[in-house]
Amino acid sequence: MKWDWSAVADFMPRFADGLLVTLQVLVLGSLIAFSLGLVWAAGLRSRKRLVRWPVTAVTEFVRTTPLLVQLFFLFFVLPEAGVRFSAFVTGTLAIGLHYSTYTAQVYRAGIDAVPAGQWEAATALSLPAHRTWFAVILPQALRRVTPALGNYVVAMLKDTPLLAAIGVLEMLQQARLESAGTFQYTEPLTVVGVAFVLVAYPASLLVRALERRLVH
């Protein structure tokens, strides 16, 4: 097997486009996962069965079905019902929705870990519910769960290649298209593999550093 640097140079424009799409999906998907996960967590902790049971059913269904199946459902089935999105939007929504069910459990664990005395103090001070949540409970809970949320960002990054199945032009899809045109598979796929390492490894180190800082 002979390495061809000219093939790497030819692939760089495609790779840059794919890297940008991958990072866009990662950022937007993370925002969806973190925001929607907090909504799920609140629903899971609700005292009202009409809220808690449907939220539990939805989150368990999403967590126990593969992301790839969800991608295909959103991209191929929903258009039959008149709901159609681009491949990029579909992929971003799917990955955000999928991981929101995991971040929900992280949020719930963090909220449950807040000492009962904090809830009692807020009640004693007659704080309204929204102020209790946003000024007392969530700041403490988020401090505990931030490292775990960071780990899910890394996990989302590693799942972005699945979006190639519906035609999202992220790094892997760009490598496949380049290889299909040049019949040189080693260089594009190696570049993409190295890129994932160069993005994921520093991110994992950052998560570990953040965890040490928050714990201590």
Side-chain angles (χ1 to χ4, degrees):
M1 182 171 57
K2 185 178 180 181
W3 183 264
D4 187 354
W5 284 107
S6 64
V8 175
D10 292 339
F11 176 55
M12 281 298 103
R14 278 185 179 273
F15 168 73
D17 292 339
L19 177 60
L20 178 60
V21 172
T22 296
L23 294 177
Q24 288 174 333
V25 169
L26 181 62
V27 172
L28 295 175
S30 296
L31 290 176
I32 294 172
F34 294 160
S35 303
L36 187 56
L38 191 56
V39 175
W40 294 139
L44 291 170
R45 297 187 80 261
S46 175
R47 296 180 180 178
K48 299 179 179 179
R49 294 180 181 179
L50 290 178
V51 174
R52 187 175 67 253
W53 287 1
V55 170
T56 300
V58 170
T59 54
E60 287 300 317
F61 176 79
V62 173
R63 288 179 65 196
T64 54
T65 53
L67 174 57
L68 187 59
V69 173
Q70 295 165 17
L71 278 169
F72 284 162
F73 181 86
L74 293 177
F75 192 69
F76 295 110
V77 177
L78 282 189
E80 298 293 329
V83 181
R84 186 182 302 274
F85 300 108
S86 67
F88 176 83
V89 173
T90 300
T92 302
L93 290 175
I95 204 166
L97 173 62
H98 184 79
Y99 276 94
S100 71
T101 60
Y102 291 94
T103 60
Q105 298 298 329
V106 173
Y107 283 130
R108 186 167 71 165
I111 293 169
D112 289 343
V114 175
Q118 298 295 312
W119 295 92
E120 294 168 358
T123 302
L125 293 172
S126 299
L127 294 179
H130 72 276
R131 185 163 177 78
T132 298
W133 276 99
F134 290 102
V136 179
I137 304 303
L138 287 182
Q140 297 181 63
L142 290 176
R143 185 173 184 270
R144 290 176 167 85
V145 305
T146 296
L149 295 178
N151 288 331
Y152 279 120
V153 173
V154 177
M156 276 188 274
L157 172 66
K158 292 189 291 185
D159 271 349
T160 54
L162 291 176
L163 274 57
I166 61 171
V168 177
L169 296 176
E170 44 72 61
M171 290 190 290
L172 179 61
Q173 181 73 340
Q174 293 286 14
R176 291 173 61 187
L177 292 175
E178 180 73 13
S179 299
T182 63
F183 299 101
Q184 291 177 294
Y185 293 88
T186 302
E187 291 82 5
L189 293 175
T190 301
V191 169
V192 169
V194 171
F196 273 107
V197 173
L198 292 179
V199 175
Y201 185 64
S204 65
L205 293 179
L206 180 61
V207 170
R208 293 177 192 172
L210 182 61
E211 183 175 7
R212 289 194 297 268
R213 182 180 181 86
L214 293 175
V215 170
H216 302 291

